[in-house]
Amino acid sequence: MKKLVVLSGAGISAESGIRTFRDSDGLWEKYRIEDVATPEGWRRNQQLVTDFYNQRRKQLLEVEPNFGHIGLAELEKDFDVQIITQNVDNLHEKAGSTKVIHLHGELTKVRSERYENLIYDLSPDKYEIKIGDLCEKGYQLRPHIVWFGEAVPLIEKAAELVSQADILAVIGTSLSVYPAAGLLYHAPMLCKIYYIDPKGAENLPNYVNFIKKGAAEGVKELQKILRDY
Ligand code: APR
């Protein structure tokens, strides 16, 4: 089976009703990155950060995958599909994709602020953590999210996966946050690269096939293209 590696970003979940970060009505228009997505923000105001991620989790209970996610899960019939997502939602898994790695963490997990390997699943319908919820060693639980300024532990694994791709599909990401954006450059010479996005990213290399569409329509088109592989 040919290896199809997918690098997805916030845009793939936009049609499910989750806002992207940098579009005009995006999350970073309403919140300051420094306040809710950095270790300094956490140190300054744990309540604000906890509330922000509680809201994100609550929203997750109300949304469903769209054809962007579903179409990629369907492709597992004919391809060895590996998803690398920058998203912290669980919509790829909900759609049925079986190999998903989350570069920037997962909303449905929390971890000890002191011992980063003490990671806990929140039960499916629990979305809140509170100040005072502690890990088994007595330290506050924090979101299991990679914040700006923190290392991206899965980046090497992701680069290795991209370096083995026959086909790479980059979907719904502005490619503005590194190191994730740099993964594109790990694709082998013969790998076909498709980029699905209604807007497009700056500095997209000219060897990338640009499908200027939203995720659902774009993945439909990708399925058609891949029929001939
Ligand atoms: N279908 C596909 N793409 C879409 C759609 C859609 N319906 N609507 C918007 N987009 C595209 C936008 O054109 C944009 O290129 O999704 C992209 C979203 O870009 P960002 O908001 O920058 O999100 P992303 O690239 O995932 O951000 C990367 O930044 O803040 C951090 O950690 C956060 O993982 C995130 C990282």
Side-chain angles (χ1 to χ4, degrees), residues 6 18 39-40 45 54 56 65 69 71 85 91 93 105 109 128 137 141 170 173 176 184-185 196 200 205 207 212:
V6 176
I18 302 181
E40 293 76 21
N45 191 341
N54 283 345
R56 309 271 81 72
H69 308 98
T85 187
L91 296 181
E93 289 91 340
K109 293 181 178 166
E128 264 188 324
K137 299 213 177 192
L141 293 176
V170 180
T173 170
S176 54
L184 199 68
Y185 302 100
I196 299 171
Y207 51 81
K212 196 169 189 302

Side-chain angles (χ1 to χ4, degrees), residues 129-149:
I129 49 171
K130 298 197 175 70
I131 302 302
D133 287 349
L134 307 178
C135 75
E136 67 219 51
K137 299 213 177 192
Y139 290 90
Q140 177 63 41
L141 293 176
R142 59 158 271 182
H144 183 51
I145 301 284
V146 175
W147 286 325
F148 286 90

Side-chain angles (χ1 to χ4, degrees), residues 21-22 27-28 31-43 52-53 86 103-104 111 142 145-152 174 176-180:
F21 297 98
R22 295 176 184 77
L27 268 183
W28 297 152
Y31 297 90
R32 281 162 27 108
I33 289 179
E34 300 83 335
D35 290 339
V36 296
T38 62
E40 293 76 21
W42 172 249
R43 242 171 271 137
F52 174 80
Y53 290 98
Q86 297 168 84
L103 278 182
H104 294 163
R111 71 168 187 258
R142 59 158 271 182
I145 301 284
V146 175
W147 286 325
F148 286 90
E150 293 186 319
V152 181
S174 61
S176 54
V177 173
Y178 285 80

Side-chain angles (χ1 to χ4, degrees), residues 9-197:
I12 199 165
S13 297
E15 288 160 58
S16 294
I18 302 181
R19 279 168 195 226
T20 63
F21 297 98
R22 295 176 184 77
D23 286 306
S24 58
D25 59 347
L27 268 183
W28 297 152
E29 293 262 293
K30 266 185 90 188
Y31 297 90
R32 281 162 27 108
I33 289 179
E34 300 83 335
D35 290 339
V36 296
T38 62
E40 293 76 21
W42 172 249
R43 242 171 271 137
R44 237 182 352 253
N45 191 341
Q46 295 192 352
Q47 189 67 58
L48 177 79
V49 177
T50 298
D51 290 346
F52 174 80
Y53 290 98
N54 283 345
Q55 278 175 35
R56 309 271 81 72
R57 282 189 209 99
K58 182 161 185 252
Q59 182 188 33
L60 206 51
L61 297 176
E62 293 154 9
V63 296
E64 294 297 332
N66 64 67
F67 191 78
H69 308 98
I70 294 165
L72 293 173
E74 287 176 0
L75 281 165
E76 289 196 11
K77 281 197 284 240
D78 301 307
F79 292 87
D80 175 6
V81 183
Q82 171 69 60
I83 312 261
I84 301 166
T85 187
Q86 297 168 84
N87 297 346
V88 296
D89 66 48
N90 57 1
L91 296 181
H92 282 299
E93 289 91 340
K94 247 183 152 175
S97 284
T98 55
K99 293 204 274 180
V100 184
I101 68 171
H102 287 267
L103 278 182
H104 294 163
E106 292 173 72
L107 271 177
T108 55
K109 293 181 178 166
V110 291
R111 71 168 187 258
S112 165
E113 69 167 347
R114 174 84 163 75
Y115 297 97
E116 59 188 37
N117 293 328
L118 291 181
I119 301 167
Y120 305 89
D121 277 318
L122 287 174
S123 68
D125 56 345
K126 181 170 184 259
Y127 65 87
E128 264 188 324
I129 49 171
K130 298 197 175 70
I131 302 302
D133 287 349
L134 307 178
C135 75
E136 67 219 51
K137 299 213 177 192
Y139 290 90
Q140 177 63 41
L141 293 176
R142 59 158 271 182
H144 183 51
I145 301 284
V146 175
W147 286 325
F148 286 90
E150 293 186 319
V152 181
L154 289 170
I155 196 70
E156 278 178 24
K157 181 168 181 204
E160 169 77 20
L161 290 165
V162 173
S163 75
Q164 293 163 1
D166 297 303
I167 305 146
L168 175 66
V170 180
I171 307 177
T173 170
S174 61
L175 289 172
S176 54
V177 173
Y178 285 80
L183 285 172
L184 199 68
Y185 302 100
H186 289 269
M189 288 275 278
L190 292 176
C191 174
K192 274 265 192 204
I193 307 180
Y194 298 92
Y195 175 65
I196 299 171
D197 196 287

